[in-house]
Amino acid sequence: MKHLRPRIPKVIDRSDLEPSGRRYISQLISLAGWGIWIYLFTPLIADDPMETLRAIQAYGIAIGSAGVIFIGWAGYNWFRFHNNERRHAPEPVGTENLARHFGIDRDEAEIIATARIVTVHFDEITGIVDIESSMCGARRELVANVAACSNRSNTSR
Amino acid sequence: MTFNALTKFVFFYPLIMAWMWIIGGVWYYFHWERRKGADPDHPPNSGSSAACSIIIPCFNEAEMIRDTIHYAHASEYHDFEIIAINDGSSDASPEILEQLTLEYPRLRVVHLASNQGKAVALRTGALAAQNDFLICIDGDALLHPKAVAWMMFHLTSGPRVGAVTGNPRILNRSSLLGKLQVGEFSATIGLIKRAQRAYGRIFTVSGVIAGFRRTALDRIGYWSNDMVTEDIDISWRLQLDHWDIRYEPSALSYIYMPETLAGLWRQRLRWAQGGVETVLRHGASLFHWPKRRLWGVALEYVVSIVWAYGMFVVILVALLSLVTELPEGWIQPRLLPQWAGVILGLTALIQFFVSLMIDRRYEVDGRFFRNYFWVIWYPLAFWLLSMVTTVAAVPRALLKRTGERARWISPDRGLRPPEE
């Protein structure tokens, strides 16, 4: 099963998956979107070209000014902070710290960090009240069932 | 006059912002993206031998989790473990995960006995991790084989780097909604991330693929469990603690997005509400000179909220003017003003063109350009969608009870072939 998947997941672009009614509505919306977009350009043929140039000039100045501010701010940040390493490499958090932060014993922190399968119980305010490792008998049985189902479905493919 | 100024503001703001994103995207491209000469399949060698833990919170992910674990396990990185956090799922996820531990030697499973929400699942993952570098992905995200190597390159490149966020690529593109989101992710979200990275701070990591330094998380107290978007909150808190967050477009993760209007609406409303909650909670801490690097991001977001309400008012007045006379001196608002319209149309075109040129290297699908054809008008619709979700999200964020636990259910995953 796991070897059947491609290295990179495949893009799904299949219009047949969509009900035809929805597909037509989508096409209409897309056409309307195009219509509105093209309508935006109608002043280019309807009005005085000098007015067009003046308008573009005004917008150009506004956009240019905002661009200069943006690049100025980006540049300031770059020159002020790049290669400015005031921090030393931080120490690893460590089991002791983690246990303290999460309000559990060090032994419990070690169990959750090493057990292959573990169950965590919480109180009402997300405090950890219990950590138990390994699966229970019922779950083991379920896993066996799921594995059997999975094997059957793989064979049928 | 106030109303006339508002009318000008609502048309100028999207225009200026679109150009800021274009300029920022081009700056980023020439400054980092192009010069590096690397592509998604060829990450640079960081020279570090650090191991990492891939943390995957899952809630009712029975349909997706096998693929997610498979692709995470196929990561081409020398040393990593995978920790799947089953957040009290009520479907077959727990059993599937335990069965997968037999197939995938690097996989460990942590069951939360009851559903706690994504933030608690991530916190528990951080506790369970054997390594100090955490790569957190969603339960339905499929990693590119080199994504982990790209994330680790940044995380190990300097002591200031607290987090890195990757580049989610949408797989389902059959419907118009799917195509719109493909265009949006590259032409808008991708450009915004590049522009924000250019000025040093980003609004949010993508919750779907983000890497963290555990020491940084430990300093700020890990993820908050009462924010509807834990990714926006953690990004702000890390940066308020002066950690750098990098954006790496070559760290790819493949995702399925909703292809129903209801699914899309719920998702976008949650995003908008999360942004407002974050600004409300952390806005006051920005009024200090050492926090100045975040001012640009914060200002952009606050002005976008003002813009959304301004636009809403202008649309209401425009509709009102159809049935009644406006007071003397007021500009008669037209929903598509003539000259601003030409510039807006051109801007949308240029925004798409620039993003296409920058973004095509991350696409394996040769039909990428076709998506743009269908949605060339989308940058205009994007602003309307932002307006509606923001207007709806602000009261939700304001009325939310403090400390209320954030739990959410993933939206639909779009149209999938029956054989998938």
Side-chain angles (χ1 to χ4, degrees), chain B residues 210-228:
Chain B
F212 298 94
R213 183 190 294 274
R214 188 161 59 179
T215 354
L217 295 173
D218 196 66
R219 272 173 62 105
I220 61 164
Y222 300 90
W223 292 267
S224 307
N225 59 24
D226 61 343
M227 304 292 274
V228 293

Side-chain angles (χ1 to χ4, degrees), chain B residues 114-134:
Chain B
S114 53
N115 178 237
Q116 299 291 326
K118 188 178 172 188
V120 178
L122 286 167
R123 290 168 66 93
T124 313
L127 169 65
Q130 290 178 351
N131 306 300
D132 260 15
F133 294 106
L134 315 176

Side-chain angles (χ1 to χ4, degrees), chain B residues 150-171:
Chain B
W150 268 109
M151 308 283 273
M152 287 299 289
F153 164 71
H154 285 285
L155 288 170
T156 57
S157 66
R160 272 184 94 92
V161 182
V164 56
T165 184
N167 184 358
R169 311 299 300 180
I170 298 174
L171 287 173

